[in-house]
Amino acid sequence: MIKENVSRTRQRILKVCSKINQDPGKITIIAVSKGRVLEQIKEVIDAGINNIGENRVQEAILKYNELITSEPANQRTIRWHMVGHLQTNKVKDAVRIFDLIQSVDSVRLAEEIDKQADKINKIQDILIEIKTSPEETKFGLRADEAIEVIKDIAKLKNITIKGLMTIAPIVDNPEKTRPYFKLLRELKDKINKILTPDSQLQTLSMGMTDDFEIAIEEGSNMVRLGRAIFE
């Protein structure tokens, strides 16, 4: 089933990319494996997806270690993404296993990531999470404070800011998510105007199972999919 789901998802991405004249090869699919078992993750890898997203550090550690034990060759090709809210007391473990931490939403959190990355001689790639949604349950920086915060985080020597991430609100029609994705794209463009050429933000992580096609139309090049892949 997972293999068929991946194939179907790729076809949907191809269709929307053809519509907007985008290269589908530039769209990164993150298989969000929250609550899924190791065998399902292996199926995803076998289907050609090597980016795995997790919402919780402890759950990710278990799967990371299990995959190393059972398939060490595969583990070397996998990129792990932290896509859930990250608490500062979990940063040490997060820095150890995640290639990209997508949910950085404060200078304080970034400073702790920088501190822990320095201890293991790592340059940690991150995305800045922006709260484009009015929902109070969502995390992230406000769009109007993002530029100043990014300036501060950019000074940290063991962090590289790769781009921005957002989560659109839950709506009854995917089309209603478009303004939130557009806001993030416009913010990225605004930020890039003040950054040096070698520090330009390249990644827009936006779009999930119910709205990823709209997100791609609005500039997303990284989509975080759970149900579309696993169900």
Side-chain angles (χ1 to χ4, degrees), residues 110-123:
E111 288 174 338
E112 183 63 22
I113 292 171
D114 180 71
K115 174 184 172 182
Q116 297 300 332
D118 182 55
K119 289 181 179 179
I120 60 173
N121 296 313
K122 179 181 182 182
I123 304 299

Side-chain angles (χ1 to χ4, degrees), residues 12-139:
R12 290 172 65 182
I13 290 173
L14 177 62
K15 184 177 180 180
V16 69
C17 284
S18 297
K19 177 180 175 183
I20 62 172
N21 197 28
Q22 170 65 288
D23 177 3
K26 293 183 178 180
I27 309 297
T28 300
I29 300 173
I30 311 296
V32 180
S33 55
K34 173 186 175 182
R36 312 298 175 176
V37 299
L38 186 64
E39 289 307 314
Q40 290 175 297
I41 296 175
K42 289 180 180 179
E43 285 187 59
V44 167
I45 296 168
D46 289 342
I49 292 179
N50 63 354
N51 289 275
I52 305 298
E54 279 290 338
N55 291 69
R56 299 185 180 95
V57 175
Q58 292 309 115
E59 183 176 344
I61 289 172
L62 291 174
K63 293 171 182 175
Y64 179 93
N65 290 334
E66 286 176 350
L67 198 59
I68 285 178
T69 302
S70 63
E71 296 190 23
N74 258 342
Q75 176 62 4
R76 286 194 294 270
T77 68
I78 303 307
R79 284 181 53 82
W80 292 84
H81 299 248
M82 177 64 186
V83 298
H85 181 62
L86 179 60
Q87 298 173 314
T88 54
N89 64 346
K90 301 292 185 185
V91 167
K92 181 179 179 179
D93 288 330
V95 167
R96 181 171 65 83
I97 68 171
F98 288 110
D99 298 283
L100 181 63
I101 297 175
Q102 298 203 16
S103 49
V104 178
D105 58 1
S106 70
V107 174
R108 178 170 172 263
L109 177 59
E111 288 174 338
E112 183 63 22
I113 292 171
D114 180 71
K115 174 184 172 182
Q116 297 300 332
D118 182 55
K119 289 181 179 179
I120 60 173
N121 296 313
K122 179 181 182 182
I123 304 299
Q124 178 66 60
D125 290 343
I126 68 167
L127 302 182
I128 304 298
E129 182 173 5
I130 305 297
K131 185 178 184 293
T132 58
S133 164
E135 294 176 307
E136 293 193 4
T137 55
K138 294 286 193 298
F139 293 99

Side-chain angles (χ1 to χ4, degrees), residues 161-176:
I161 304 172
K162 292 293 188 179
L164 307 176
M165 183 269 262
T166 197
I167 302 173
I170 298 172
V171 292
D172 57 0
N173 180 351
E175 185 62 37
K176 293 180 181 179

